[in-house]
């Protein structure tokens, strides 16, 4: 395993751990995220649902909100772990939300084959609407 892959695997393990804190009594679909910043810090997140369903927040946005509210805006990679679907990629709202801080972000998921899958956010959200679009 190359060093890069070891980092992705570690980030995925952290995302899986974060999913243990998921509050998802309605969907019963726990998701965790681990966001690696350029300075090496890792911010975790989980999905937090609500009785008013649309008020729920995804794991990825929880992680980004935690990072930005701690003064961190530059990111390298985010691992996402859907405990019930290894091949679960970020939803459209999360792709848009993350793109605000750069589309070079690497998105890491476990993949159904068990082989770590990595895609750039720019591939997952081409021609995104960002700060330069205004
Ligand atoms: N969910 C995430 O946390 N991230 C995604 O990218 C997709 C969906 C959550 C939202 C909801 O709590 C549950 O998964 C089922 O949609």
């Amino acid at each position: 395993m190359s060093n890069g892959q070891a980092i992705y695997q570690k980030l995925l393990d952290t995302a899986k751990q974060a999913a243990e804190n998921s509050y998802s009594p309605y969907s019963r679909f726990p998701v965790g995220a681990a966001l690696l910043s350029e300075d090496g810090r890792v911010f975790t997140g989980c999905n937090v649902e609500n009785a008013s369903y649309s008020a729920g927040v995804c794991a990825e946005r929880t992680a980004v909100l935690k990072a930005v509210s701690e003064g961190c805006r530059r990111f390298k990679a985010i691992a996402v772990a859907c405990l019930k679907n290894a091949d679960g990629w970020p939803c459209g709202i999360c792709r848009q939300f993350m793109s605000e801080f750069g589309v070079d972000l690497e998105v890491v998921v476990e993949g159904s084959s068990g082989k770590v899958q990595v895609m750039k956010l720019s591939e997952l959200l081409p021609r995104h609407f960002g700060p330069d679009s205004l």
Side-chain angles (χ1 to χ4, degrees):
M1 194 188 280
S2 73
N3 190 35
Q5 273 176 322
I7 290 170
Y8 294 145
Q9 189 58 61
K10 199 170 163 220
L11 209 55
L12 265 176
D13 291 344
T14 306
K16 280 185 202 166
Q17 258 173 34
E20 300 296 335
N21 290 328
S22 165
Y23 176 73
S24 44
Y26 307 107
S27 70
R28 300 192 185 283
F29 191 83
V31 186
L35 178 64
L36 175 64
S37 70
E38 279 190 4
D39 63 14
R41 283 184 284 171
V42 174
F43 297 88
T44 59
C46 63
N47 52 336
V48 182
E49 297 184 349
N50 193 276
S52 177
Y53 296 166
S54 60
V57 182
C58 290
E60 298 90 321
R61 276 177 285 149
T62 304
V64 172
L65 289 167
K66 283 171 67 179
V68 173
S69 63
E70 295 294 325
C72 183
R73 297 180 188 169
R74 296 173 71 89
F75 309 115
K76 272 188 176 160
I78 186 166
V80 182
C82 299
L83 296 189
K84 290 185 176 167
N85 175 12
D87 209 28
W89 292 85
C91 78
I93 299 171
C94 287
R95 292 178 196 200
Q96 175 61 33
F97 196 80
M98 295 187 292
S99 76
E100 180 73 18
F101 303 100
V103 289
D104 281 339
L105 183 74
E106 291 179 312
V107 180
V108 184
V109 309
E110 188 154 67
S112 46
S113 63
K115 188 169 169 265
V116 172
Q117 307 283 310
V118 185
M119 283 184 80
K120 286 243 179 197
L121 185 56
S122 54
E123 293 178 84
L124 294 170
L125 190 67
R127 300 185 191 185
H128 81 290
F129 190 93
D132 293 343
S133 309
L134 293 171

